[in-house]
């Protein structure tokens, strides 16, 4: 049985400084630094004309070409050239584009921002147009964020979409160790070292979390991002992957928090343990995630459990999810499920006074406390990379140790070029 947690938010001046730079960058976002997007270093001659803007709702390239009197035949050539790289048929409102016209008003280059991280770059060559996708070259700075949790992570980390993203990524990193919906105690604290991505000297967004620390209920958890590109993962101080066979909780903080902006979001998820299982009070319809890979062995109605899903995992483990309002489509006996997959929605079927999830774990049919089981961490940093990992870890530890919360979103001037 736990009490709900008291609410208070720490807002620090450095944070407002950051907000100011968000606002200041708004106008700037429309400018497209040509040296950033052009594949080569030579900038076009002065007399070239640049047309740039952001795609308006419902606007097509045909509209834009017509508006500026640009050759429609060139438009077809652009589309043809980019066909194997990125389909130019679908343009998204708000995305930037830039068309460079030469002195004869012929297209010299066409640039379109596919997303925040990728640019489509089409240039005229002697044999026609050539298209390529180019990663956006952000300048990176390292941000230190730290705070004390009084209510929940989202409110502790501060306002705004960017802070929400950091909170959610943090909850994903520690999802095997900390139940972000219920585990917090007043005074728990977090520290985050995160990339801040800049274009043209303006803050655009946060990048990867490089390392993080949580002091939760007397325990200290640390995570370090290590590895190349998309293969990078988070490891503990010993170099073991933070991933385990079971997530800490069947209610996913990201899924609950997404779509809420700070201030309106207070997930009061109380836990009661009147029996073998754990009861999470949560709004009807809250997604229920399976805590580990496994196979569904029961999905249907069962007495006081109401609508129930039972999943069998390795080593004699089973997990039970009861009182559901809905069982996910395709979730039936024999279905293979992946860790974190949504299998059902919270409800109040069976013997339940209000919407809540009944969650239970059994080993060889004996109930166990899922919070107490010691699931081993399986993957590790490969031995040949351990020396590099330890060096990186020690560097990050020095940063984490020097951080004393509350410090919200304080950027260091130093660029993180090694990272
Ligand atoms: Zn129950």
């Amino acid at each position: 049985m736990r009490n709900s947690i008291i609410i208070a938010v720490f807002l620090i001046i450095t944070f407002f400084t950051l907000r100011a730079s968000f606002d200041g960058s708004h106008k700037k976002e429309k400018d497209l630094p040509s040296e950033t997007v052009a594949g080569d270093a030579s900038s076009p001659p002065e007399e070239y004309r640049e047309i740039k803007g952001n795609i308006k709702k419902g606007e097509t390239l045909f509209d834009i070409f017509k508006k500026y009197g640009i050759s429609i035949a060139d438009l077809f050539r652009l589309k043809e050239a980019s066909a194997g790289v990125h389909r130019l048929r679908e343009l998204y409102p708000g995305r930037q584009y830039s068309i460079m016209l030469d002195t004869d008003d012929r297209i010299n280059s066409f640039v379109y921002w596919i997303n925040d991280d990728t640019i489509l770059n089409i240039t005229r060559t002697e044999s026609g147009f050539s298209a390529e996708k180019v990663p956006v070259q952000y300048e990176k700075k390292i941000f230190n964020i730290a705070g004390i949790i009084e209510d929940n992570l989202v409110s502790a980390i501060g306002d705004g979409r960017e802070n929400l993203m950091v909170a959610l990524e943090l909850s994903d990193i520690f999802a095997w160790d900390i139940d972000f919906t219920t585990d917090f105690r007043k005074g728990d604290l977090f520290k985050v070292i995160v990339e801040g991505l800049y274009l043209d000297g303006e803050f655009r967004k946060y990048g990867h979390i490089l390392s993080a620390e949580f002091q939760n209920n007397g325990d200290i958890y640390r995570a370090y991002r290590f590895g190349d590109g998309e293969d990078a993962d988070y490891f503990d101080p010993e170099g073991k992957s933070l991933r385990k066979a079971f997530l800490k909780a069947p209610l996913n903080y990201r899924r609950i928090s997404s779509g809420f902006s700070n201030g309106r979001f207070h997930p009061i998820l109380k836990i009661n343990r009147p029996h073998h299982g754990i009861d999470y009070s949560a709004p009807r319809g809250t997604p229920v995630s399976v805590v580990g890979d496994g196979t569904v062995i029961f999905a249907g109605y069962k007495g006081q459990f109401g609508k129930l899903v039972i999943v069998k995992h390795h080593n004699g483990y089973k997990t039970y999810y009861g009182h559901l309002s809905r069982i996910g489509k395709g979730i039936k006996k024999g279905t293979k499920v992946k860790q974190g997959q949504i299998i059902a929605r919270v409800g109040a079927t069976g013997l339940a006074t209000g919407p809540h999830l009944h969650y239970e774990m059994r080993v060889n049919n004996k109930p166990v406390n899922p919070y107490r089981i010691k699931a081993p961490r399986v993957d590790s940093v490969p031995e040949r990379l351990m020396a590099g990992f330890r060096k990186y870890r020690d560097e990050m530890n020095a940063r984490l140790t020097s951080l004393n919360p509350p410090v919200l979103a304080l950027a260091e001037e130093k660029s993180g070029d090694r990272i």
Side-chain angles (χ1 to χ4, degrees):
M1 176 90 188
R2 277 186 182 169
N3 291 322
S4 60
I5 303 160
I6 304 158
I7 301 165
V9 180
F10 285 80
L11 285 177
I12 301 306
I13 290 157
T14 49
F15 171 65
F16 286 111
T17 313
L18 179 65
R19 281 298 296 247
S21 80
F22 281 160
D23 297 343
S25 69
H26 189 254
K27 193 187 136 282
K28 204 72 177 170
E29 272 167 26
K30 293 188 170 62
D31 299 343
L32 201 57
S34 53
E35 68 272 18
T36 312
V37 292
D40 56 10
S42 62
S43 52
E46 281 301 318
E47 56 271 30
Y48 277 27
R49 187 158 69 96
E50 188 186 16
I51 294 164
K52 60 183 177 181
N54 296 59
I55 304 292
K56 296 191 185 71
K57 211 175 165 211
E59 195 173 42
T60 64
L61 275 184
F62 186 79
D63 300 334
I64 294 167
F65 275 54
K66 234 169 65 179
K67 184 172 159 193
Y68 293 101
I70 309 166
S71 155
I72 299 298
D74 268 357
L75 172 58
F76 287 111
R77 289 188 198 108
L78 284 186
K79 286 189 172 174
E80 218 174 78
S82 67
V85 180
H86 179 80
R87 278 152 47 106
L88 265 181
R89 208 172 305 159
E90 292 128 31
L91 302 181
Y92 286 89
R95 294 286 170 213
Q96 298 170 33
Y97 65 89
S98 158
I99 305 165
M100 193 65 75
L101 300 173
D102 66 17
T103 44
D104 299 324
D105 266 359
R106 296 185 321 158
I107 291 180
N108 178 259
S109 67
F110 173 86
V111 169
Y112 172 69
W113 285 62
I114 297 167
N115 55 43
D116 283 352
D117 299 313
T118 317
I119 294 168
L120 173 67
N121 196 8
I122 308 178
T123 45
R124 185 185 286 277
T125 65
E126 272 158 30
S127 56
F129 288 111
S130 127
E132 58 174 348
K133 277 189 204 173
V134 187
V136 176
Q137 297 296 325
Y138 286 106
E139 184 202 342
K140 289 175 184 171
K141 286 183 187 177
I142 295 177
F143 271 65
N144 301 322
I145 306 177
I148 297 170
I149 295 174
E150 295 291 318
D151 171 26
N152 67 69
L153 181 62
V154 168
S155 60
I157 211 162
D159 261 324
R161 184 182 176 276
E162 283 307 316
N163 285 311
L164 178 64
M165 292 300 127
V166 171
L168 297 183
E169 200 185 332
L170 208 47
S171 72
D172 286 344
I173 293 170
F174 288 106
W176 292 270
D177 290 305
I178 301 172
D179 174 358
F180 281 79
T181 64
T182 61
D183 268 355
F184 290 116
R185 297 285 170 83
K186 191 175 187 307
D188 281 357
L189 63 87
F190 65 91
K191 303 174 178 184
V192 183
I193 313 294
V194 60
E195 292 169 341
L197 304 183
Y198 286 70
L199 266 189
D200 237 10
E202 300 286 349
F203 177 87
R204 288 301 182 98
K205 60 175 185 171
Y206 287 120
H208 294 299
I209 290 176
L210 303 176
S211 68
E213 175 180 314
F214 255 98
Q215 296 185 20
N216 173 234
N217 198 11
D219 292 320
I220 296 178
Y221 301 91
R222 279 183 170 178
Y224 310 87
R225 183 186 170 85
F226 193 72
D228 285 331
E230 294 310 304
D231 289 335
D233 201 357
Y234 289 92
F235 297 91
D236 73 6
E238 275 72 53
K240 295 217 160 69
S241 167
L242 291 192
R243 295 169 194 281
K244 292 182 191 174
F246 299 112
L247 292 164
K248 184 77 187 286
L251 297 177
N252 178 281
Y253 188 73
R254 174 182 288 274
R255 297 230 162 86
I256 293 170
S257 310
S258 298
F260 291 88
S261 68
N262 178 41
R264 287 186 286 135
F265 171 61
H266 294 290
I268 311 298
L269 295 163
K270 289 177 201 157
I271 290 189
N272 287 303
R273 310 203 52 182
H275 46 58
H276 305 313
I278 299 175
D279 288 343
Y280 293 88
S281 305
R284 183 187 305 274
T286 301
V288 175
S289 305
V290 63
V291 294
D293 293 353
T295 307
V296 175
I297 54 167
F298 181 87
Y301 208 96
K302 194 171 221 166
Q304 61 183 28
F305 283 112
K307 280 190 186 165
L308 172 74
V309 174
I310 305 174
V311 177
K312 186 169 170 278
H313 309 278
H314 286 303
N315 303 326
Y317 282 89
K318 285 178 195 162
T319 48
Y320 288 59
Y321 311 83
H323 307 313
L324 306 167
S325 61
R326 272 198 293 128
I327 292 171
K329 226 176 144 191
I331 299 296
K332 51 181 192 287
K333 192 174 172 184
T335 306
K336 295 245 186 294
V337 287
K338 282 265 165 227
Q339 183 173 66
Q341 182 182 338
I342 294 175
I343 52 167
R345 302 273 167 176
V346 170
T349 53
L351 193 64
T353 49
H356 73 279
L357 173 67
H358 173 94
Y359 171 54
E360 202 175 311
M361 184 178 269
R362 296 189 188 178
V363 183
N364 301 324
N365 292 320
K366 288 227 296 272
V368 291
N369 181 347
Y371 283 5
R372 298 256 169 80
I373 58 151
K374 291 260 177 281
R377 302 197 194 277
V378 272
D379 296 323
S380 301
V381 171
E383 201 45 52
R384 65 193 163 83
L385 300 176
M386 266 315 264
F389 172 76
R390 288 196 191 99
K391 186 166 169 285
Y392 177 70
R393 174 199 65 193
D394 293 345
E395 249 177 72
M396 286 295 151
N397 280 349
R399 289 172 177 279
L400 290 168
T401 306
S402 69
L403 263 183
N404 289 307
V407 179
L408 290 187
L410 188 63
E412 285 180 19
E413 283 312 307
K414 182 178 172 291
S415 289
D417 48 359
R418 97 167 265 292
I419 296 155

